[in-house]
């Protein structure tokens, strides 16, 4: 057994796996205690904002199985909204240091939640309502889940038509390439990161697909109460499905060498073709800058890889 300090620090490093999120003209990376947002401004330079995470984000609750999933998802929502506002301000050459008020962040998040509930819960139930007289209760619930999956795929196809979204997806690809290179133990250089793929086992796209599939199984035997009760049932069980999906994603990503796991993850990896694009060198440079920033804050050398390639990050990207 190695007792050198370097070995001990390496063991600690292996317990954490870095993850991030694409934003407007930039990338956010989340470390153990810090989050960094790197944004490319119109002049061409890269600006970086680094903040310490709140104590709740690094609390003991964020480590408890089944409880950590909801904690991480809430954290991701908050960090993601702040990162998007900051990146938009910097990309538009506004005052990037101006803090976005909490009411604005939560109002935008609430609007997004309402839109998501409308598209992925209410709309499928409304469609199923018209075919309910002709099918069984179990088939009705399965049809609801299948329609929800179809709506999600259509939604992804529609938003990819927006040029700004396609650029965000390119930064998403840059984030994945950078994390893939880091987990493989590569030096964090554009030339090395460029060699890696834009798909990753812990991507948020794959996580959503896991949620949608598990929801079909979970809802199948809930019966067929009134429309409004079915709607409330789906909202009530969603946190449970999300928590279980998070644990399943972590298990899958920790056992990538298993052929059955690789088969299970294949649809999620394939789906990332829709939510990532091949980045240019400038976008890779931005992602690398963000990751280097949080690595430096953690006191970890950029060339030191974490435990195992493909291990899940603290939050889906």
């Amino acid at each position: 057994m190695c007792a050198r300090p370097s070995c001990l620090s390496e063991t600690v490093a292996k317990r954490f796996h870095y993850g991030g999120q694409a934003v407007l003209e930039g990338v956010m990376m989340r470390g153990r205690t810090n989050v960094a947002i790197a944004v490319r401004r119109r002049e061409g330079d890269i600006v970086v904002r680094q903040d310490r995470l709140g104590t709740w984000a690094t609390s003991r609750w964020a480590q408890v199985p089944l409880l950590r999933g909801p904690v991480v998802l809430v954290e991701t929502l908050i960090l993601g909204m702040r990162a998007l506002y900051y990146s938009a301000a910097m990309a538009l050459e506004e005052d990037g240091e101006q803090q976005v008020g909490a009411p604005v962040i939560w109002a935008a998040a609430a609007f997004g939640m309402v839109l998501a509930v409308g598209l992925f819960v209410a709309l499928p139930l409304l469609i199923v309502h018209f075919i309910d007289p002709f099918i069984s209760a179990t088939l009705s619930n399965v049809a609801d889940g299948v329609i929800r999956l179809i709506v999600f795929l259509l939604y992804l196809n529609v938003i990819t038509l927006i040029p700004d979204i396609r650029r965000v997806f390119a930064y998403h690809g840059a984030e994945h390439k950078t994390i893939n290179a880091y987990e493989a133990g590569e030096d964090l250089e554009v030339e090395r990161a460029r060699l890696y793929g834009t798909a990753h086992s812990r991507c948020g796209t794959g996580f959503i697909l896991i949620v949608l599939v598990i929801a079909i199984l979970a809802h199948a035997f809930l019966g067929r109460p009134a429309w409004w009760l079915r709607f409330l049932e789906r909202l009530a069980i969603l946190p449970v499905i999300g928590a279980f999906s998070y644990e399943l994603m972590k298990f899958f990503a920790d056992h990538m060498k298993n052929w059955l796991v690789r088969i299970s993850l294949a649809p999620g990896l394939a789906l990332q073709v829709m939510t990532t694009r091949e980045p240019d060198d400038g976008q890779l440079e931005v992602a690398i800058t963000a990751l280097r920033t949080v690595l430096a804050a953690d006191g970890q050398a950029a060339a030191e890889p974490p435990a195992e390639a493909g291990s899940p990050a603290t939050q889906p990207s």
Side-chain angles (χ1 to χ4, degrees), residues 127-253:
I127 295 173
V128 166
H129 176 73
F130 292 102
I131 63 175
D132 260 350
F134 311 103
I135 57 178
S136 67
T138 300
L139 187 56
S140 173
N141 286 319
V142 171
D144 164 54
V146 172
I147 292 172
R148 186 179 302 110
L149 180 57
I150 293 173
V151 170
F152 175 64
L153 296 176
L154 290 174
Y155 170 79
L156 290 182
N157 274 286
V158 169
I159 64 174
T160 55
L161 300 176
I162 305 172
D164 286 343
I165 296 297
R166 288 200 295 269
R167 282 197 61 80
V168 171
F169 285 172
Y171 277 104
H172 190 193
E175 179 231 328
H176 282 186
K177 279 177 173 282
T178 301
I179 293 294
N180 283 333
Y182 168 68
E183 291 180 341
E186 296 278 8
D187 291 331
L188 287 181
E189 303 293 342
V190 171
E191 293 76 14
R192 303 309 303 168
R194 192 191 303 128
L195 302 176
Y196 288 82
T198 58
H200 198 283
S201 60
R202 67 172 177 254
C203 178
T205 305
F207 172 75
I208 293 175
L209 183 61
I210 292 174
V211 169
L212 293 175
V213 172
I214 291 180
I216 294 176
L217 301 175
H219 296 159
F221 305 104
L222 290 180
R224 186 162 45 189
W227 185 92
W228 64 271
L229 189 54
R230 294 177 78 178
F231 177 80
L232 293 178
E233 282 179 344
R234 277 147 179 72
L235 292 184
I237 200 174
L238 183 58
V240 178
I241 293 174
F244 184 76
S245 299
Y246 182 79
E247 298 301 325
L248 188 60
M249 182 183 71
K250 288 178 69 67
F251 175 83
F252 281 167

Side-chain angles (χ1 to χ4, degrees), residues 66-82:
L66 293 179
L67 291 180
R68 59 190 170 189
V71 171
V72 166
L73 293 176
V74 171
E75 177 207 42
T76 301
L77 174 64
I78 295 173
L79 293 180
M81 292 299 299
R82 289 176 178 169

Side-chain angles (χ1 to χ4, degrees), residues 103-122:
V104 176
I105 293 175
W106 283 109
F111 175 77
M113 289 268 207
V114 170
L115 180 63
V117 168
L119 277 178
F120 305 120
V121 181

